Amino acid sequence: MNSSDVRRKYLEFFAARGHAVVPSASLIPDGDATTLFTGSGMQPLLPYLLGKPHPAGKRVTDSQKSFRAEDIDEVGDNRHTTFFEMLGNWSFGDYWKKEQLSWFFEFLTNAEYGVGLDPRKLYVTVFAGDEQYGIPADHDSVAIWKELFASSGVSDVRAVELLTEERASTVGMQGGRIFYYGAKKNWWSRAGTPDKMPAREPGGPDSEVFYEFESVPHDEKFGKFCHPNCDCGRYMEIGNSVFMEYIKTEADMFEKLEQRNVDFGGGLERIAAASLNNSDIFTIDSLGALVSVIREHTISLSTQSVRVIADHVRSAVFLIADGVIPSNKDRGYLLRRLIRRAVLHGAYLAPSGFSKFDILVEKVINLYAVVYPELQNNREHIVSIFVAEERAFSKTYQGGVAEFERMIASGNSISGADAFLLSASYGFPIELTQELAVQKHVIIDLDAYRAEVDRHRELSKAGAQKKFGGHGLLLDTGELKAANEDELRIVTRLHTTTHLLHRALRMVLGDTVHQAGSDITPARARFDFVFNRKLTPEEVASVERIINEVIAADLPVQKIVLPKSQAEKTGALYFFKEKYPDPVSVYFVGQSIEDAFSKEFCGGPHVTHTGEIGHVRIAKEEAVAAGIRRIRAVLS
Ligand code: SER
């Protein structure tokens, strides 16, 4: 079965059982400041697990786009990817274990409206309990699983206590079908095991289903005996039913949530791979198509590099579609790392590098456009952002690799200064240099590298201060330190101007516009934003007119300090919310925050009334990078 069949059948199966099919949320978490990316189906649904009524009802099913940066180094084997689609079905205080486990088992084993897996190839795990927190073992699930297996003709269903991976690899499976493991394996929360969870974090025991690939022999490198959670690849996890009924208290204990929830998550591609009885998920339709494009245009057959490129390009496409652009921090940095890492692996495949990234990007968009319309809607933007980053890096990376070779020729280590040079002059993220170092068996002095980064940061700060007559001016959003009062007043007027500009751009060009950076000196405000074409003269004129109308209306500019979660609810714009303190100040232009013309998270300072700005002129509109425009605004 290919992955689109699995996705369709799964959603239909749960729709037929009273679930509303809801679309995937963005990869950029909305209102969840705990992670940079959406890494599971439950994150966007957290409020409903905590009791808020879901508009679609108590039963919901979806296929959620997920990105896990922490798996980046695992990519290259037959089953890890950074991006994946997580099939989900949800009970918000509705059905419980019996329905959940029976339905999932039915979906997996039914050949007509499910996947048709052989039940004898399925093995399951359950929670063994946690003594420290007094949480009991999940014997209920064991009883349900026993019945399910028996009813499908699998006899002699035994439950075995394995508890930890270490123990499991020394005692083996002992002919079991159901296995008890501790919290490390069979407890789910966003933060991990119960001891790692902060207060007010929900979590619960889970029950995972594994598919056995009989063609994969156990590898003793991973332990004497194989078992479901062994890393040799013989058993692959294909679904996880979380019984989310607990919440951690301030007193480091657990109590029951007001409602019992089911959070099921299953890897779409893994289920498709199981349906083909092929342990390599890179052979299924979607990833397989990407692998073919790469192979067509390269000579080396390094499976690992082909997989890395296929995975990273797909992740990059989805991230760009959700508004991420390459940069040196946070999400943008990860995107940059993915693209640059793909370029490096391309170099392993062909002497002059893999040069068909544009074709590959288009392929990803075509493969997923029907299910995820944001890809189709942003096609040009995605291609141009990706290709711009890829081309820029491709130009320097060969020089960087040559430099790296030169550095290690005289010894077997990379100094802090060397690593810094590679990053500053050749654009090598430190992780790439580390990767090269591992390949070449050389050591990097990471502490010295970090010290070097700090030293340069200080130096460039000092440099910037010099540029503005010994006083730092605005270097980044929100932070102002000005020289003398006159300059401060001008910069403050321009700072408020950027807020008006941001809003006016969104009014004229649509809400996809968002800030990508800003820089203000007494001479002008520079404002960068995400948009993929040149503005027409009419659009520039409209933006300018709106700004000057708001200035003429002399609206008050006010500040309100709110807890971050509440501030987000006001609809205020922000850059990267991780950047701001909690509580955060929101500046708004207007009589009240509800009907404000503009509202943004910001450190200030701002004028007190828009009339103080005077008159604004847009002096220039130009491209700074693919997909990013820059406006220069001056007071006139
Ligand atoms: N939250 C669980 C997971 O991510 C199941 O959806 O594995």
Side-chain angles (χ1 to χ4, degrees):
M1 206 176 282
N2 67 35
S3 63
S4 358
D5 292 333
V6 174
R7 193 193 297 109
R8 181 181 45 79
K9 280 193 161 186
Y10 175 84
L11 296 174
E12 280 171 10
F13 181 93
F14 282 94
R17 283 155 189 79
H19 292 66
V21 181
V22 303
S24 172
S26 167
L27 284 169
I28 311 307
D30 176 21
D32 174 359
T34 61
T35 51
L36 281 180
F37 300 102
T38 303
S40 68
M42 70 78 79
Q43 276 166 247
L45 295 169
L46 189 70
Y48 312 110
L49 296 166
L50 294 174
K52 182 176 165 188
H54 192 288
K58 290 183 168 187
R59 296 182 181 190
V60 160
T61 184
D62 63 357
S63 171
Q64 172 63 45
K65 299 180 284 186
S66 305
F67 178 77
R68 290 190 183 170
E70 57 276 23
D71 284 344
I72 199 165
D73 294 320
E74 313 272 345
V75 180
D77 68 7
N78 64 351
R79 63 191 183 285
H80 282 92
T81 54
T82 51
F83 171 88
F84 58 97
E85 289 169 88
M86 198 176 242
L87 298 174
N89 63 268
W90 309 84
S91 157
F92 302 121
D94 189 31
Y95 58 85
W96 193 230
K97 296 181 182 178
K98 175 93 184 159
E99 294 87 338
Q100 171 54 29
L101 299 181
S102 310
W103 283 338
F104 184 42
F105 189 74
E106 185 183 353
F107 174 70
L108 287 179
T109 54
N110 186 287
E112 190 191 326
Y113 46 83
V115 189
L117 300 182
D118 179 350
R120 284 168 305 184
K121 297 211 176 144
L122 302 179
Y123 293 82
V124 303
T125 64
V126 296
F127 183 53
D130 185 295
E131 259 176 44
Q132 186 191 343
Y133 289 101
I135 304 166
D138 188 4
H139 301 305
D140 298 346
S141 291
V142 171
I144 298 167
W145 280 125
K146 280 192 171 169
E147 255 180 55
L148 289 169
F149 277 109
S151 70
S152 73
V154 180
S155 53
D156 189 21
V157 179
R158 242 176 305 155
V160 173
E161 271 206 359
L162 292 178
L163 304 178
T164 63
E165 281 179 89
E166 300 70 50
R167 195 172 166 276
S169 65
T170 54
V171 300
M173 293 173 62
Q174 303 158 63
R177 175 75 54 186
I178 302 169
F179 303 89
Y180 285 96
Y181 285 89
K184 245 179 146 168
K185 289 289 156 195
N186 284 83
W187 174 272
W188 209 90
S189 81
R190 293 183 302 172
T193 48
D195 52 312
K196 299 224 174 67
M197 292 165 63
R200 294 186 307 280
E201 182 71 17
D206 65 42
S207 180
E208 301 189 327
V209 176
F210 290 79
Y211 182 83
E212 182 183 22
F213 291 105
E214 278 164 343
S215 58
V216 180
H218 173 60
D219 182 346
E220 289 204 10
K221 185 169 96 198
F222 298 97
K224 187 159 177 11
F225 293 110
C226 195
H227 59 103
N229 279 306
C230 174
D231 284 328
C232 73
R234 183 176 176 91
Y235 296 92
M236 182 165 72
E237 186 218 321
I238 55 174
N240 184 14
S241 301
V242 184
F243 300 114
M244 196 161 282
E245 61 168 332
Y246 294 101
I247 185 159
K248 191 147 180 190
T249 67
E250 302 283 352
D252 193 26
M253 310 224 286
F254 280 87
E255 60 185 34
K256 292 269 172 96
L257 278 167
E258 268 165 40
Q259 65 187 37
R260 296 195 304 196
N261 307 293
V262 174
D263 152 13
F264 169 80
L268 170 65
E269 285 157 352
R270 291 181 171 205
I271 296 177
S275 83
L276 300 170
N277 197 27
N278 185 334
S279 61
D280 180 1
I281 67 165
F282 287 85
T283 59
I284 67 165
D285 54 333
S286 49
L287 286 168
L290 302 181
V291 165
S292 305
V293 171
I294 302 166
R295 288 219 189 281
E296 239 170 74
H297 298 283
T298 48
I299 49 170
S300 151
L301 294 179
S302 160
T303 310
Q304 196 204 354
S305 290
V306 170
R307 288 170 176 164
V308 168
I309 296 171
D311 170 75
H312 287 12
V313 171
R314 182 175 64 160
S315 291
V317 165
F318 275 94
L319 289 175
I320 298 169
D322 277 344
V324 183
I325 47 174
S327 77
N328 282 333
K329 52 185 185 226
D330 301 331
R331 300 186 181 102
Y333 182 72
L334 259 148
L335 173 59
R336 174 160 279 173
R337 239 180 101 189
L338 289 168
I339 298 176
R340 294 187 177 187
R341 197 164 186 256
V343 170
L344 263 199
H345 279 268
Y348 301 155
L349 292 179
S352 55
F354 173 69
S355 57
K356 305 291 180 197
F357 281 104
D358 47 349
I359 298 179
L360 201 53
V361 168
E362 293 272 6
K363 185 82 195 170
V364 176
I365 298 173
N366 295 344
L367 278 172
Y368 290 96
V370 175
V371 186
Y372 300 104
E374 60 275 27
L375 300 188
Q376 178 60 30
N377 298 342
N378 295 298
R379 182 181 286 268
E380 282 165 30
H381 171 75
I382 297 168
V383 177
S384 61
I385 294 272
F386 189 103
V387 170
E389 177 71 16
E390 179 251 312
R391 299 257 153 95
F393 184 58
S394 294
K395 261 195 217 139
T396 56
Y397 86 94
Q398 268 163 343
V401 171
E403 186 67 42
F404 181 92
E405 299 284 352
R406 198 190 53 70
M407 288 166 175
I408 61 173
S410 53
N412 57 354
S413 68
I414 294 279
S415 70
D418 285 346
F420 185 80
L421 178 79
L422 287 172
S423 100
S425 307
Y426 298 95
F428 278 42
I430 183 66
E431 295 82 1
L432 274 189
T433 307
Q434 280 177 286
E435 207 174 307
L436 281 174
V438 170
Q439 269 187 16
K440 305 274 177 179
H441 306 289
V442 299
I443 294 163
I444 303 184
D445 189 341
L446 275 182
D447 288 337
Y449 165 77
R450 289 196 190 100
E452 197 71 7
V453 171
D454 289 343
R455 201 169 67 81
H456 280 266
R457 200 173 283 144
E458 289 307 313
L459 280 179
S460 61
K461 239 194 240 161
Q465 279 174 2
K466 218 155 140 211
K467 201 157 91 200
F468 298 121
H471 306 275
L473 282 173
L474 186 77
L475 297 173
D476 198 352
T477 48
E479 239 180 285
L480 270 186
K481 279 186 234 100
N484 57 50
E485 295 209 344
D486 282 345
E487 281 187 348
L488 176 60
R489 221 165 301 143
I490 297 171
V491 168
T492 304
R493 285 159 65 201
L494 282 167
H495 186 199
T496 308
T497 302
T498 61
H499 283 219
L500 304 185
L501 175 59
H502 193 183
R503 178 60 208 279
L505 283 167
R506 288 166 68 96
M507 287 171 74
V508 174
L509 305 174
D511 280 351
T512 59
V513 166
H514 54 265
Q515 181 171 0
S518 81
D519 180 78
I520 304 174
T521 71
R524 49 78 181 146
R526 220 169 65 187
F527 185 82
D528 296 346
F529 59 102
V530 177
F531 194 61
N532 58 11
R533 62 164 170 82
K534 187 164 181 54
L535 272 58
T536 64
E538 293 74 32
E539 286 166 340
V540 173
S542 304
V543 170
E544 198 178 86
R545 186 175 39 79
I546 294 171
I547 295 172
N548 286 309
E549 277 169 12
V550 175
I551 292 173
D554 199 23
L555 297 178
V557 182
Q558 310 183 64
K559 175 170 106 168
I560 164 172
V561 178
L562 292 171
K564 225 178 185 179
S565 56
Q566 223 173 311
E568 279 162 31
K569 285 191 201 124
T570 66
L573 300 176
Y574 46 76
F575 207 35
F576 274 117
K577 61 183 164 241
E578 294 70 26
K579 233 177 105 82
Y580 302 92
D582 193 4
V584 64
S585 57
V586 175
Y587 274 88
F588 63 95
V589 176
Q591 303 299 340
S592 73
I593 188 148
E594 287 78 26
D595 57 16
F597 170 77
S598 133
K599 37 193 157 178
E600 290 194 26
F601 287 20
C602 186
H606 285 281
V607 300
T608 60
H609 285 81
T610 54
E612 290 162 43
I613 296 174
H615 188 270
V616 170
R617 188 167 62 80
I618 294 181
K620 201 167 181 186
E621 190 272 334
E622 62 188 335
V624 256
I628 302 179
R629 312 292 307 177
R630 170 169 291 175
I631 277 184
R632 219 170 254 271
V634 296
L635 300 175
S636 58

